[in-house]
Amino acid sequence: MGPYILRRMALIIPTLIGIMLINFAMVQFVPGGPVEQILARIEGQGDVFGTISGGGGDGAGAPVDAGSGDKYLGARGLPPDFIAELEREFGFDKPAWQRFLTMMWNYARFDFGESYFRSIGVVDLVLEKMPVSISLGLWSTLIAYLISIPLGIRKAVKDGSRFDTWTSGAIIVGYAIPGFLFAILLLVLFAGGSYFKWFPLRGLTSDNWADLSLLGQIADYFWHIALPVLASTISAFATLTLLTKNSFLEEIKKQYVMTAKAKGLTEARVLYGHVFRNAMLIVIAGFPAVFVSVFFGGSLIIETIFSLDGLGRLGFEAAVSRDYPVIFGTLYVFGLIGLMMGLVSDLMYVWIDPRIDFETRET
């Protein structure tokens, strides 16, 4: 197993570099870099989209051809020394390839610099926002598994029954409803929208959270997180339930199950003593990937709807303001985490079923 882990670890490096290079190259063609953002704020327009009317340009602050001889839109009347100072401050006085190499060298040493517009280190900013996203991702994944596994097993055992039919209908509806639409529905129904005001509208805790007792703080936390977690769980729950059912159905039809039943073993002994480990292999081993998917995939919309200040909103705001240290720093860290989770998933396969041997695979 050791050589396989080393090979996978070695592949992470070029894969991560490729991810960063592609995204960095794409940014070069997106108009409205940090320099334009500063100029737009000086002009009192709020953001760069109020000043850019067309044309391409370097997303990392490259010139935009406005046909007027000015290097940047919104720079008319400003001293050239001021513009040059802005470029030096953001590092845009260097060519793109040099900026990329410098960025990757710093990231390799886990030096992610400081946000352009927040006057705080990228690492500190991520750590500040991470508890919200971890809360959503962890609880959503755990609840999805706690519901999906028993339900999927029950559906497999009762395959074709009335129970299987109506639960399949509910699952299909849950899978078809977008998470953001379900979140809005929850707000309308239970957060004071038009009917009941049982849950708070925004935030992860109440304003007086620090004054509450320990039990009060725990209750307040779950009170606030209930609707966002429910909205995040809906799609993962549907997928995992069908995956569990199909895995059990495939195993139940195999010869060793028929042999076990012929020997007089009870259905529960056959199901949980023989079928469970084989059928749950793909479901349990996929836990890291599911968590990463929920953690990174659905957090933006859910956090925005429920006014939660997490990594999803941080990434969105950084993209709008062209805060490149935050964008690329978080991309690097989360890309590395995602690649590592792929390796962890393989290790979980081996841990759950020692018969699996990745040593014989060609990487």
Side-chain angles (χ1 to χ4, degrees):
M1 195 63 187
Y4 173 76
I5 295 176
L6 292 177
R7 291 196 300 268
R8 286 293 300 272
M9 293 290 290
L11 283 174
I12 288 176
I13 298 174
T15 302
L16 186 59
I17 293 175
I19 292 173
M20 298 299 296
L21 179 60
I22 292 173
N23 284 274
F24 186 86
M26 290 176 61
V27 162
Q28 308 311 305
F29 302 98
V30 179
V35 174
E36 286 94 336
Q37 294 285 338
I38 295 295
L39 296 177
R41 295 179 185 186
I42 292 175
E43 293 292 326
Q45 307 245 355
D47 59 45
V48 74
F49 299 106
T51 59
I52 291 181
S53 58
D58 191 322
V64 179
D65 185 9
S68 63
D70 290 320
K71 190 173 183 181
Y72 297 99
L73 285 175
R76 298 175 182 85
L78 294 176
D81 292 344
F82 175 73
I83 303 299
E85 180 61 29
L86 283 178
E87 289 182 335
R88 283 193 297 271
E89 182 179 348
F90 291 120
F92 299 144
D93 56 331
K94 303 180 179 67
W97 65 267
Q98 187 174 348
R99 297 200 308 272
F100 178 76
L101 292 178
T102 302
M103 179 183 72
M104 292 305 298
W105 171 246
N106 291 334
Y107 287 2
R109 296 178 291 130
F110 290 94
D111 178 10
F112 300 104
E114 188 175 281
S115 169
Y116 283 159
F117 305 110
R118 297 174 183 257
S119 298
I120 183 175
V122 174
V123 174
D124 295 332
L125 190 58
V126 170
L127 292 177
E128 178 185 322
K129 310 295 183 182
M130 188 171 285
V132 173
S133 296
I134 288 181
S135 294
L136 285 176
L138 184 61
W139 287 115
S140 298
T141 305
L142 288 176
I143 292 175
Y145 267 83
L146 290 174
I147 296 175
S148 300
I149 291 177
L151 181 58
I153 295 174
R154 184 67 175 174
K155 284 174 64 62
V157 173
K158 299 293 184 179
D159 184 44
S161 67
R162 182 177 298 179
F163 172 82
D164 180 47
T165 301
W166 73 261
T167 52
S168 294
I171 290 171
I172 291 173
V173 171
Y175 184 78
I177 297 177
F180 75 92
L181 187 60
F182 188 61
I184 295 174
L185 178 63
L186 291 176
L187 285 178
V188 171
L189 291 178
F190 303 114
S194 300
Y195 297 91
F196 308 103
K197 195 174 182 179
W198 294 346
F199 295 93
L201 186 60
R202 58 176 58 87
L204 196 61
T205 56
S206 299
D207 295 336
N208 63 335
W209 188 80
D211 300 328
L212 299 175
S213 64
L214 177 60
L215 292 179
Q217 290 178 344
I218 294 174
D220 183 76
Y221 166 77
F222 283 108
W223 183 47
H224 281 77
I225 205 71
L227 294 187
V229 166
L230 185 57
S232 300
T233 304
I234 186 71
S235 59
F237 146 76
T239 303
L240 282 172
T241 301
L242 294 178
L243 179 62
T244 303
K245 176 190 174 182
N246 293 335
S247 297
F248 269 82
L249 279 178
E250 183 179 354
E251 291 296 322
I252 287 173
K253 296 176 182 178
K254 291 184 177 179
Q255 183 63 43
Y256 75 89
V257 176
M258 300 179 184
T259 302
K261 290 181 179 179
K263 290 181 178 180
L265 296 180
T266 63
E267 182 178 351
R269 178 70 182 275
V270 173
L271 188 63
Y272 295 102
H274 295 76
V275 176
F276 186 84
R277 187 179 69 174
N278 296 329
M280 290 305 298
L281 175 63
I282 189 173
V283 179
I284 296 178
F287 180 88
V290 174
F291 172 72
V292 171
S293 176
V294 174
F295 184 71
F296 298 125
S299 60
L300 169 59
I301 297 177
I302 300 301
E303 288 175 11
T304 301
I305 292 176
F306 289 98
S307 299
L308 300 175
D309 194 14
L311 293 175
R313 289 185 65 185
L314 173 65
F316 174 74
E317 292 170 357
V320 170
S321 64
R322 304 298 194 268
D323 196 344
Y324 293 129
V326 176
I327 294 174
F328 289 115
T330 54
L331 177 65
Y332 181 89
V333 173
F334 297 153
L336 181 61
I337 292 174
L339 293 171
M340 292 298 296
M341 285 299 102
L343 176 59
V344 172
S345 294
D346 287 347
L347 296 179
M348 288 192 68
Y349 277 109
V350 177
W351 177 63
I352 295 172
D353 190 349
R355 296 173 299 175
I356 296 178
D357 183 14
F358 286 106
E359 295 284 358
T360 59
R361 292 179 52 184
E362 293 292 336
T363 303

